[in-house]
Amino acid sequence: MIELTGWEPLGVSVDWAAIERELGVPLPADYKELYEAFGGGVFSDSVYFLGRDEGFSFDFLAQWRVSVDQASKLKDGSAVDPYAVYAPGGKGLVEWGSTEWADEYCWFIDAERPGDYPVLARAHDVGGWHRYDMSTSEFLYRVLANAEFQPFGIAQYNLGTTFEPGSGDPFDGQPR
């Protein structure tokens, strides 16, 4: 990803142990490496990579907390049907990325299988979840660089492979 974007790694320091204690599972090692190099922000002006401490919009942990709270209030299913929002000790989805056109990128986490985090992605206009047994960084690379990686590949749109650090609301106040 660094080579693809020409990015100079930031070397962000994060207390991963505290985050992983709250989640009850370790996070994928490649995600932590990506975050330490890039921080949260926007790839190719359209793919939002969530991290930690860039304000609510780019903070996956803050958004996960809200999702857990909202899921506990829903009576008729889940916003991530047929899955659940991950809760410590259980299994479900934790979002780590999205796009400006409402695609969602999540890990499927099962506390009984720590270290096994397939990517589940849902395109807003295609419907249904797609499972990818690959790392976060491989999935993100394919989204940005492989036009045939459908329905998620954006290389066909010639948006470039840039990265802009997050610092506010990528949706300009629009609800997700």
Side-chain angles (χ1 to χ4, degrees):
M1 291 298 303
I2 290 169
E3 188 175 309
L4 179 68
T5 60
W7 185 251
E8 185 67 34
L10 297 175
V12 176
S13 178
V14 178
D15 184 355
W16 294 116
I19 293 168
E20 293 170 339
R21 271 192 306 277
E22 183 173 347
L23 291 170
V25 292
L27 288 169
D30 76 300
Y31 165 78
K32 293 189 281 190
E33 290 174 18
L34 275 172
Y35 180 74
E36 289 170 359
F38 289 93
V42 185
F43 287 95
S44 301
D45 294 324
S46 57
V47 178
Y48 304 105
F49 179 67
L50 305 182
R52 187 74 181 112
D53 298 326
E54 275 89 13
F56 180 78
S57 296
F58 290 100
D59 187 333
F60 93 92
L61 195 59
Q63 289 192 25
W64 170 74
R65 290 175 187 137
V66 169
S67 295
V68 169
D69 184 54
Q70 289 174 342
S72 70
K73 295 175 184 173
L74 287 175
K75 298 187 184 336
D76 297 332
S78 165
V80 293
D81 273 341
Y83 300 97
V85 172
Y86 172 76
K91 59 182 165 183
L93 302 183
V94 173
E95 186 173 356
W96 58 264
S98 62
T99 67
E100 68 176 34
W101 45 88
D103 293 351
E104 300 170 83
Y105 308 147
C106 303
W107 296 299
F108 180 74
I109 297 177
D110 181 344
E112 293 182 14
R113 299 183 64 166
D116 179 26
Y117 303 129
V119 173
L120 283 152
R122 176 167 63 179
H124 83 285
D125 60 349
V126 177
W129 290 96
H130 302 263
R131 180 185 171 120
Y132 298 93
D133 292 313
M134 61 181 65
S135 68
T136 306
S137 54
E138 181 180 352
F139 179 85
L140 189 55
Y141 181 87
R142 288 186 182 191
V143 166
L144 298 174
N146 184 348
E148 284 80 43
F149 188 61
Q150 294 304 316
F152 303 105
I154 65 168
Q156 66 198 13
Y157 303 118
N158 298 319
L159 300 172
T161 50
T162 60
F163 181 76
E164 184 68 34
S167 60
D169 187 352
F171 304 102
D172 296 322
Q174 299 299 313
R176 289 187 15 176

